[in-house]
Amino acid sequence: MLWLAIGAFGAHRFYLGRVKTGIALIVMLFGALIMSAIGTYLFYVLTLDSGTIGDVRNTSTLANILSGVCYLPFFCWLIWYLLDLIFINVMINKDRQNASMISMKQAENVFE
């Protein structure tokens, strides 16, 4: 549920103790949003110069390439976000295993 509600900001990773990747997910999200805004602006400005606003087929190749490249970080973030949905169960099970190993070591120390 945490992934669904505020997982876009990496909250599920912070909850599982994966702080570095949680921060990386936040930075990647904001970087992707900034790059997407730049790509949209570049597309608008370059299509304004060619006089083809509203007709994407006749825009310059440069406008299409630059705006497409600017959206790549967003697609990378989106893929990471969706992969977290698949692998979040693996992360939780790994944390449970680590917790049980720690408690077993504590129990061994008690009986020594």
Side-chain angles (χ1 to χ4, degrees):
M1 296 307 289
L2 194 58
W3 175 89
L4 184 62
I6 51 178
F9 301 105
H12 58 289
R13 289 191 166 265
F14 287 110
Y15 181 76
L16 292 173
R18 291 169 168 78
V19 177
K20 290 178 185 176
T21 55
I23 292 172
L25 197 58
I26 289 174
V27 169
M28 193 171 194
L29 172 64
F30 286 118
L33 290 175
I34 291 169
M35 289 297 291
S36 297
I38 290 171
T40 303
Y41 176 75
L42 285 175
F43 185 76
Y44 177 73
V45 167
L46 292 173
T47 54
L48 242 171
D49 290 341
S50 62
T52 57
I53 296 175
D55 191 6
V56 177
R57 292 172 296 170
N58 293 331
T59 58
S60 69
T61 306
L62 179 65
N64 291 330
I65 291 172
L66 283 177
S67 62
V69 167
C70 288
Y71 284 103
L72 282 177
F74 179 75
F75 291 120
C76 292
W77 168 84
L78 183 64
I79 289 169
W80 186 2
Y81 179 63
L82 292 175
L83 283 175
D84 269 359
L85 175 63
I86 297 168
F87 291 111
I88 198 164
N89 193 27
V90 174
M91 289 187 278
I92 291 170
N93 287 335
K94 189 174 179 181
D95 283 348
R96 286 182 183 162
Q97 275 183 335
N98 289 341
S100 67
M101 292 297 286
I102 290 170
S103 61
M104 286 176 61
K105 287 181 182 178
Q106 289 173 344
E108 288 174 0
N109 290 337
V110 169
F111 290 114
E112 287 183 353

